[in-house]
Amino acid sequence: MGTFTKKRDYSVIGKEIPRVDSLVKVKGKAKFVADFDMKDMLYGALVLSKRARGRVKKIDVSKASSLKGVRAILTYEDIPGENQIGEVVNDMPCLVPVGEEVRYYGDVISLVAADSLEIAKEAVKLVKVEYEDLEPVLTIEKALKNEVKIHPSGNILTSKKIRKGNVEKGFFESDFVIEDDFYAHYQEQAYLEPQGILSLYDNNYGITIYGSMQCPYYVQEMVPKVLGMSMHSVRVIQAETGGAFGGKEDVPSYVASQCALLTYHTKKPVLLVYSREVDIQTTSKRHPIKSHYKLGVTEDGKIKAVEITAHMDMGAYATLSPIVMYRSLVHAAGAYDIENVKVDIDGVYTNKVPCGAFRGFGSPQVLFAMESIVDEAAEKLRMDPMDIRLKNALRIGSRTSTDQLLTESVGAVKTIEHAMEISNYAELKKEMAAFNLENKFKKRGIGVSHIIYGISLGAAGQHLDAAGSLVQVHRDGSVNIHIGNTEMGQGAKTVIAMIASEALGQSIEKIRVDNPDTSYVQDSGPTVASRATVFSGNAVKKACEKIKARMEEYFSKTRNVSVEEIVFKNGAIKTVDNKHKILFDSLANECYNSNTKMVERGWFVSPKLRWNSETGLGEAYITYAYATQVVVAEVDMLTGKSQVIEAYTSHDVGKKLNPVGLVGQVQGGFVQGMGYGLFEEIKTTDGRITTDNFNTYIIPTISDIPQKLKIDFVEDAYSQGPFGAKGIGEPSLMPVPASIANAISNAVRKRVKRIPATAEYVFNIIEEVIK
Amino acid sequence: MSYSFISPRDEKELKEEISAPGSFTMSGGTDLLVKIRMGKISPQKIVSTSKISTLHFIDENDDEIVIGSTITHAELLEYKPLREAFPVLFDAIYTIGSPQIRNRGTLVGNVMNASPAGDGLLALYLLDAKIEISNGDAVNIDEFVVSPGRTILPKGEYVKSIHIPKSKWDHHYFEKVGQRNSMTISIVSIGWLIKCGSEAIENLRIAFGSVAPTILRLKDVEKFSKGKKIDEKFVHVVSDMVKERVNPIDDVRGSAQYRKKLCSNLMYRMVEEGIKC
């Protein structure tokens, strides 16, 4: 148990606190980017490639420029800085030059700014692009042949591996060795608010960017590069963000570059908001991953070895793929203590939409495959799926698949026990058997999954893994908090306000967490990887503690009491004996009158991780979240359609900071994972996405959500987390596709090897059963 | 893209407005506005029927229920006699879109959209509904709808109402196989009405959606079923007949092959539902 968790009476932490930003959002008062309107504001629009692959021969803008109301039409020649961009590898043009190749249906060729959106859209139609048609590479298999090279360096950008123990020896020592192929398809983030940026020249003669985004510092780095400016001339302020899920990690950097280019040339404010179709066609998705799993187990269910090869479809550009791959690599062998692990994973270019960040970052695909093969092993051994997981689960003293020794906060086993308990597992199995006996055309199955999830950026992202804060207590006791991580619907502002309230002793109503602005706080890394609570939370806690110490010191001196006697709580300060009492607000005023410094910064840096990228061994992440899930799915044997009937899920979160927020995250993660597991499907024709709106890209509605979703938390504190907490944003989704796939497999007595397990897919595997 | 929007107060004014070139008649707008946004149509004028009181009615007599052209799905679901007289239509309408869409959309709009996936439309085919046109004609629903998005409605005319003759049935069934449970367009839809004789089927009507250019009534299957007993053997035979008669296409929601097999499999709902006749 960590040092922060010795039983103490928190006044805010662990309490059910309503979201601090809920009222403005519920009332419709919150302003999102598309709501912005300014004097002389122009509207931006994009000219996109209509080929999956082709060489741009000519861009003719003459007709479009003569349209009344058009203020700018830009091509690659109008870029003052660098045209070659990318978050990890500079393999993507901001605007595709003449003579160069378009590499997917959606590559940006030209930018338009006009007086109205209608005119801008009209102008886009008038820009004539001539192509030389080139043969596109649309599958991983074709890309691997390397006959057509998408980039000069070849179609495999990068490969990563793990070499732990000796898998050959492990398979030799196994009683059973099973293997299979799995495929996990794309998933679209489907945030409610599409990508949007407003850029303008500010009164310091630099450019200010407002936008819907997760990572203001990514934007602040890329925009100056494209504009040929220095970073101090570009200020980035996060606007309210209506969902992101990874889809607004790096993508807003590209959107902001496009928008800022239009402002740079027109000197006017420009609003660029993607239509849903443009958003789905052009922005990053969850990577499709094809994998081959080979697993060796002994008769008593001990996993001796696992060998995995996987290929991920990166699409036309690398974007964040190399670091997504790192997470796929580390999570490929799942949540188990396995002596011998061999993983090889390649990132492959294709002429399709670039893939990137999405809640889980390359993990749900491999966790689905691992959890499927573990289920197969259990079936082969006639073992209960829970028993095999319990037998191989990680504990204190276990080593992960990258040989990381686990020393604290390993709630894995407890989540398995809790999941069995809350689902009444033994009884559930009986009920299912009875149902299946009675029903010929509907079959039910129970699916189990058990997962691990690395918190924050891990060894591959250590250089970014720090976060800052700026806390200012005003004369009236009200507090402003600036952090570098964003609120995007996940509840970050609430949990940060709670941490500040607890650490300062001021009541939460007096605390305002402001939207990140790059001019206040040093680069705090991205708001991804379930890291905001731990990183920004710690940074805020530190700053608050410094101010509180100073207030304590002032109080102690002026009242002539010792610091140990003073209690700060819920907006009041008093001595233990109740002799001296004052409101936080009044003490703040006194501190001001005595020239006390009431503003402070906090800085939290990731504990250092040792990692060997040659062997893929070492400390992959600072800590891990664990979860176990049980779902009951019903399959209509006549149509193949599956429905989740009930679900039980237990998550190790270290420490519950805001129970309401946690439940919200787990509910949302469940539904998003269920959509991925069941029916969210990107379909393409010649590389063009044909499911580019929500009438064809199907996400769950309230009628698809199971009637019963029971949520449980395990608290096994993490000593470096604020009050012992770990993250929940992504772990909430991780077990879902796997448990649903296992439940369907269990129901139809045939292995689901692909997600989403659409009605048509399940129908086809049932048909084979019948044959 | 700009158009004028007109909301006539009576049918005379309506008729004048819709005869102009480039004008589109709008009822709830749940299909029309989507088509405009997608660029599938570019109206010069939209003529709304929403303020015409003479089109907003439901009449009932011993023989039929007559539904005026501005009656929304939600209004129909709340109209008790409809559920009693035509439960299959009630079930079908209940699956249309979402509460918001059912508050705007109308049954006549569903007919005019003439989609092979039309849910209300499928029930109207089963019920042998007639469409009353402003020129006084009354046309059978299967003659009124021609192909996806097309009807025989002459330019300058509008639909006044739908007449649904009352008929007695022992069993009714409607199902939409969609990608999710609501807000979904059918991959395949099916509906049937069965009237039982003493020991066998006296009358059966069956229709499928999303498997042909229009809703498909399988009249020869209906004829074949007369006098047959509903058992697994019967369902097996009919299921094979259905497979040969539907003619679906591949689209973004499902393959033709899947659709064919679905139609055939859905006949087994008769067994699952335990229908005895």
Side-chain angles (χ1 to χ4, degrees):
Chain A
M1 294 289 264
T3 48
F4 283 117
T5 57
K6 55 181 184 215
K7 279 272 175 237
R8 54 167 291 186
D9 199 13
Y10 293 125
S11 53
V12 188
I13 294 298
K15 301 280 186 316
E16 301 200 338
I17 303 290
R19 287 182 59 139
V20 296
D21 54 341
S22 56
L23 264 189
V24 285
K25 286 179 176 165
V26 169
K27 286 183 173 174
K29 283 183 180 168
K31 281 216 172 210
F32 292 85
V33 177
D35 297 324
F36 288 170
D37 195 3
M38 301 192 97
K39 191 173 180 292
D40 296 333
M41 188 177 84
L42 304 176
Y43 294 82
L46 312 179
V47 178
L48 301 174
S49 160
K50 301 285 180 203
R51 302 282 189 285
R53 183 163 173 258
R55 193 174 307 284
V56 177
K57 286 168 67 180
K58 196 176 164 200
I59 308 167
D60 179 3
V61 303
S62 57
K63 255 199 176 151
S65 350
S66 61
L67 192 68
K68 192 168 175 282
V70 171
R71 302 295 165 185
I73 299 182
L74 309 181
T75 65
Y76 68 103
E77 289 174 317
D78 301 306
I79 294 181
E82 293 169 29
N83 188 28
Q84 208 58 21
I85 53 177
E87 203 51 62
V88 182
V89 184
N90 284 334
D91 63 352
M92 184 167 97
C94 181
L95 299 174
V96 182
V98 170
E100 295 286 321
E101 283 180 23
V102 291
R103 292 189 177 86
Y104 80 107
Y105 192 103
D107 244 331
V108 187
I109 295 168
S110 173
L111 306 168
V112 176
D115 291 345
S116 74
L117 185 58
E118 284 68 32
I119 299 171
K121 284 204 271 191
E122 199 51 44
V124 163
K125 283 189 216 154
L126 295 175
V127 174
K128 291 277 167 272
V129 183
E130 278 177 40
Y131 304 90
E132 174 196 344
D133 282 321
L134 297 170
E135 185 193 352
V137 178
L138 300 175
T139 62
I140 291 174
E141 289 75 16
K142 188 168 175 180
L144 288 175
K145 285 184 189 153
N146 241 329
E147 284 159 6
V148 175
K149 285 195 170 63
I150 296 163
H151 289 272
S153 55
N155 294 340
I156 295 183
L157 172 72
T158 166
S159 303
K160 293 188 192 295
K161 61 187 176 194
I162 293 176
R163 297 286 182 270
K164 180 189 178 192
N166 178 345
V167 285
E168 290 314 320
K169 184 169 157 279
F171 289 131
F172 183 77
E173 289 166 4
S174 300
D175 296 311
F176 295 101
V177 176
I178 51 175
E179 50 191 311
D180 224 324
D181 294 305
F182 298 94
Y183 175 68
H185 198 48
Y186 291 102
Q187 189 182 13
E188 156 66 32
Q189 292 85 352
Y191 28 68
L192 195 56
E193 179 207 21
Q195 303 282 344
I197 297 283
L198 172 78
S199 63
L200 60 137
Y201 269 99
D202 57 38
N203 53 11
N204 296 318
Y205 307 102
I207 283 185
T208 296
I209 306 246
Y210 290 89
S212 180
M213 62 181 72
Q214 286 174 252
C215 309
Y217 302 94
Y218 283 11
V219 177
Q220 199 210 4
E221 212 175 325
M222 188 163 296
V223 170
K225 266 186 200 161
V226 174
L227 296 184
M229 291 172 136
S230 44
M231 284 174 75
H232 74 248
S233 312
V234 175
R235 177 181 177 191
V236 180
I237 302 168
Q238 185 224 3
E240 296 291 10
T241 296
F245 310 108
K248 291 172 185 170
E249 179 173 353
D250 62 327
V251 173
S253 306
Y254 315 127
V255 184
S257 299
Q258 295 152 4
C259 194
L261 274 168
L262 291 167
T263 289
Y264 179 92
H265 284 281
T266 59
K267 307 279 178 259
K268 297 245 161 72
V270 177
L271 181 69
L272 175 61
V273 177
Y274 283 15
S275 68
R276 183 63 63 185
E277 287 85 354
V278 167
D279 198 307
I280 292 184
Q281 290 284 354
T282 65
T283 67
S284 67
K285 313 268 171 283
R286 195 189 291 296
H287 293 80
I289 297 185
K290 280 193 164 166
S291 57
H292 183 84
Y293 272 67
K294 185 176 172 186
L295 189 85
V297 282
T298 60
E299 242 164 18
D300 60 350
K302 180 72 198 144
I303 302 172
K304 294 298 287 183
V306 61
E307 185 175 353
I308 301 156
T309 52
H311 293 94
M312 50 199 291
D313 187 337
M314 301 190 301
Y317 300 105
T319 70
L320 296 163
S321 291
I323 47 175
V324 175
M325 259 175 85
Y326 171 77
R327 198 173 270 277
S328 308
L329 179 84
V330 174
H331 292 76
Y336 305 107
D337 188 343
I338 308 172
E339 227 179 293
N340 307 293
V341 179
K342 186 179 174 194
V343 186
D344 285 282
I345 180 158
D346 295 328
V348 180
Y349 283 122
T350 59
N351 287 117
K352 291 185 292 182
V353 66
C355 293
F358 190 155
R359 198 178 199 175
F361 216 64
S363 317
Q365 301 99 313
V366 287
L367 287 169
F368 146 70
M370 182 65 187
E371 287 303 282
S372 297
I373 199 123
V374 167
D375 247 31
E376 277 292 291
E379 201 161 321
K380 189 126 202 162
L381 297 166
R382 296 176 184 281
M383 218 173 155
D384 186 274
M386 280 294 190
D387 293 338
I388 195 169
R389 287 172 171 89
L390 203 52
K391 176 139 194 134
N392 294 283
L394 293 163
R395 295 162 166 87
I396 301 269
S398 299
R399 289 182 174 273
T400 67
S401 61
T402 69
D403 210 33
Q404 179 172 356
L405 178 67
L406 299 174
T407 56
E408 63 158 340
S409 191
V410 187
V413 169
K414 274 194 213 153
T415 67
I416 297 178
E417 291 166 356
H418 285 204
M420 289 176 79
E421 207 179 298
I422 61 171
S423 64
N424 206 349
Y425 188 63
E427 205 49 42
L428 203 63
K429 289 205 291 186
K430 280 185 209 154
E431 280 170 24
M432 186 198 71
F435 180 92
N436 287 342
L437 216 59
E438 274 169 31
N439 290 278
K440 185 175 172 187
F441 298 105
K442 304 266 193 307
K443 294 292 175 192
R444 286 188 178 179
I446 294 178
V448 164
S449 68
H450 173 64
I451 63 97
I452 182 169
Y453 197 77
I455 296 300
S456 202
L457 304 174
Q462 284 191 84
H463 57 292
L464 292 171
D465 233 354
S469 71
L470 174 68
V471 177
Q472 186 170 6
V473 177
H474 297 281
R475 189 184 282 278
D476 63 356
S478 66
V479 183
N480 274 113
I481 294 182
H482 292 278
I483 52 172
N485 288 142
T486 56
E487 169 69 58
M488 47 182 151
Q490 86 279 41
K493 279 189 177 181
T494 308
V495 87
I496 292 297
M498 288 172 74
I499 289 169
S501 171
E502 193 69 55
L504 267 179
Q506 175 61 305
S507 64
I508 194 163
E509 295 77 26
K510 296 271 171 80
I511 295 169
R512 195 177 87 180
V513 183
D514 289 306
N515 283 19
D517 176 335
T518 52
S519 58
Y520 284 93
V521 175
Q522 183 180 337
D523 185 347
S524 298
T527 310
V528 301
S530 308
R531 69 187 283 276
T533 297
V534 174
F535 278 73
S536 283
N538 273 326
V540 166
K541 190 165 175 276
K542 283 184 177 187
C544 290
E545 282 164 356
K546 284 190 229 170
I547 297 175
K548 184 185 161 191
R550 220 169 273 133
M551 291 173 80
E552 263 174 350
E553 194 191 331
Y554 172 84
F555 188 85
S556 138
K557 270 191 191 152
T558 52
R559 272 71 172 175
N560 201 17
V561 292
S562 77
V563 169
E564 287 72 35
E565 291 175 75
I566 309 169
V567 181
F568 277 62
K569 203 169 178 174
N570 289 333
I573 292 97
K574 56 181 185 178
T575 50
V576 185
D577 60 8
N578 260 333
K579 260 186 161 170
H580 300 280
K581 244 183 181 170
I582 187 169
L583 286 177
F584 186 98
D585 304 351
S586 312
L587 186 62
N589 190 45
E590 282 188 32
C591 288
Y592 264 81
N593 290 340
S594 67
N595 306 115
T596 307
K597 187 183 177 200
M598 296 293 274
V599 59
E600 272 302 341
R601 290 179 182 282
W603 187 245
F604 178 76
V605 182
S606 163
K608 281 286 159 263
L609 299 169
R610 281 168 305 215
W611 177 254
N612 180 340
S613 59
E614 281 303 303
T615 56
L617 299 181
E619 295 159 342
Y621 291 95
I622 52 172
T623 190
Y624 298 87
Y626 305 87
T628 306
Q629 190 162 85
V630 179
V631 307
V632 179
E634 183 176 300
V635 181
D636 184 336
M637 302 298 279
L638 294 175
T639 64
K641 203 164 168 243
S642 309
Q643 170 76 41
V644 178
I645 303 290
E646 48 196 294
Y648 306 86
T649 190
S650 177
H651 293 264
D652 168 23
V653 295
K655 166 79 188 164
K656 288 190 274 185
L657 298 184
N658 182 4
V660 198
L662 279 176
V663 167
Q665 280 281 23
V666 176
Q667 288 173 335
F670 186 88
V671 175
Q672 195 164 38
M674 187 184 77
Y676 186 36
L678 288 180
F679 43 63
E680 291 189 27
E681 190 165 27
I682 291 284
K683 291 186 178 175
T684 56
T685 304
D686 302 326
R688 184 177 76 85
I689 293 172
T690 51
T691 50
D692 62 0
N693 208 328
F694 293 139
N695 55 348
T696 46
Y697 185 79
I698 302 299
I699 61 173
T701 75
I702 198 159
S703 332
D704 301 296
I705 298 168
Q707 292 288 321
K708 193 170 181 187
L709 170 57
K710 202 160 184 187
I711 295 166
D712 168 83
F713 296 108
V714 167
E715 292 186 283
D716 193 334
Y718 167 51
S719 64
Q720 301 298 306
F723 307 99
K726 305 190 274 195
I728 186 66
E730 293 164 293
S732 62
L733 186 149
M734 294 312 105
V736 189
S739 63
I740 291 177
N742 283 343
I744 296 172
S745 303
N746 186 235
V748 305
R749 303 269 144 215
K750 180 98 191 192
R751 179 60 47 192
V752 168
K753 297 179 190 176
R754 174 211 196 258
I755 47 171
T758 60
E760 184 162 355
Y761 171 77
V762 174
F763 186 86
N764 287 333
I765 63 173
I766 295 171
E767 287 271 296
E768 283 171 34
V769 171
I770 293 164
K771 271 178 209 161
Chain B
M1 177 191 55
S2 68
Y3 47 79
S4 58
F5 181 88
I6 290 148
S7 211
R9 297 282 164 168
D10 57 42
E11 293 186 55
K12 186 173 163 278
E13 202 188 326
L14 172 67
K15 198 145 183 183
E16 282 162 18
E17 294 292 351
I18 60 174
S19 51
S23 77
F24 281 78
T25 312
M26 178 176 120
S27 185
T30 54
D31 288 310
L32 192 74
L33 298 183
V34 175
K35 285 179 184 167
I36 293 172
R37 185 183 174 277
M38 286 171 79
K40 280 191 177 175
I41 54 170
S42 321
Q44 289 163 20
K45 184 164 75 173
I46 293 176
V47 185
S48 165
T49 56
S50 64
K51 292 202 171 128
I52 302 168
S53 56
T54 52
L55 296 176
H56 195 82
F57 68 91
I58 307 177
D59 279 344
E60 191 196 0
N61 58 43
D62 289 348
D63 303 325
E64 61 175 12
I65 289 180
V66 186
I67 299 162
S69 75
T70 61
I71 295 294
T72 65
H73 300 305
E75 285 167 331
L76 283 171
L77 293 177
E78 280 162 19
Y79 180 68
K80 281 229 170 77
L82 182 101
R83 187 171 194 173
E84 282 153 24
F86 312 121
V88 75
L89 178 61
F90 180 92
D91 289 355
I93 291 174
Y94 196 77
T95 70
I96 294 175
S98 59
Q100 295 91 328
I101 289 172
R102 293 195 293 271
N103 282 340
R104 293 282 317 172
T106 62
L107 190 57
V108 166
N110 202 233
V111 171
M112 285 306 300
N113 196 43
S115 161
D119 300 310
L121 198 54
L122 185 143
L124 294 177
Y125 268 69
L126 281 176
L127 293 164
D128 284 341
K130 276 192 161 56
I131 305 301
E132 186 187 341
I133 303 174
S134 49
N135 61 12
D137 288 354
V139 184
N140 288 334
I141 184 78
D142 58 346
E143 288 162 17
F144 184 78
V145 176
V146 181
S147 60
R150 286 187 183 279
T151 67
I152 60 152
L153 186 74
K155 179 74 195 161
E157 303 293 340
Y158 57 91
V159 172
K160 281 175 92 80
S161 64
I162 303 173
H163 294 247
I164 313 175
K166 284 185 177 173
S167 49
K168 280 265 171 255
W169 302 92
D170 297 308
H171 304 284
H172 72 273
Y173 188 76
F174 175 83
E175 181 180 349
K176 168 154 84 171
V177 180
Q179 290 161 288
R180 63 183 163 202
N181 293 334
S182 60
M183 276 297 281
T184 187
I185 302 172
S186 60
I187 301 169
V188 157
S189 55
I190 180 174
W192 68 61
L193 296 168
I194 300 173
K195 189 170 186 185
C196 295
S198 52
E199 290 261 299
I201 298 171
E202 189 184 307
N203 204 356
L204 176 144
R205 290 183 191 166
I206 185 160
F208 288 92
S210 296
V211 294
T214 63
I215 299 288
L216 194 63
R217 268 277 293 270
L218 295 180
K219 299 230 165 147
D220 53 347
V221 173
E222 294 177 1
K223 204 183 275 175
F224 170 84
S225 304
K226 271 197 178 132
K228 301 280 191 308
K229 225 179 133 55
I230 297 180
D231 53 19
E232 289 223 23
K233 203 183 112 203
F234 165 79
V235 170
H236 188 75
V237 173
V238 173
S239 161
D240 279 349
M241 289 177 80
V242 164
K243 203 186 296 182
E244 283 164 30
R245 283 157 180 79
V246 295
N247 187 23
I249 54 164
D250 290 323
D251 72 10
V252 73
R253 281 180 287 280
S255 69
Q257 198 198 13
Y258 176 51
R259 287 190 153 106
K260 240 179 197 221
K261 286 181 178 170
L262 267 183
C263 292
S264 165
N265 267 9
L266 286 171
M267 295 314 299
Y268 283 87
R269 292 282 195 240
M270 287 190 180
V271 181
E272 193 182 7
E273 296 278 302
I275 297 174
K276 296 265 184 329
C277 212

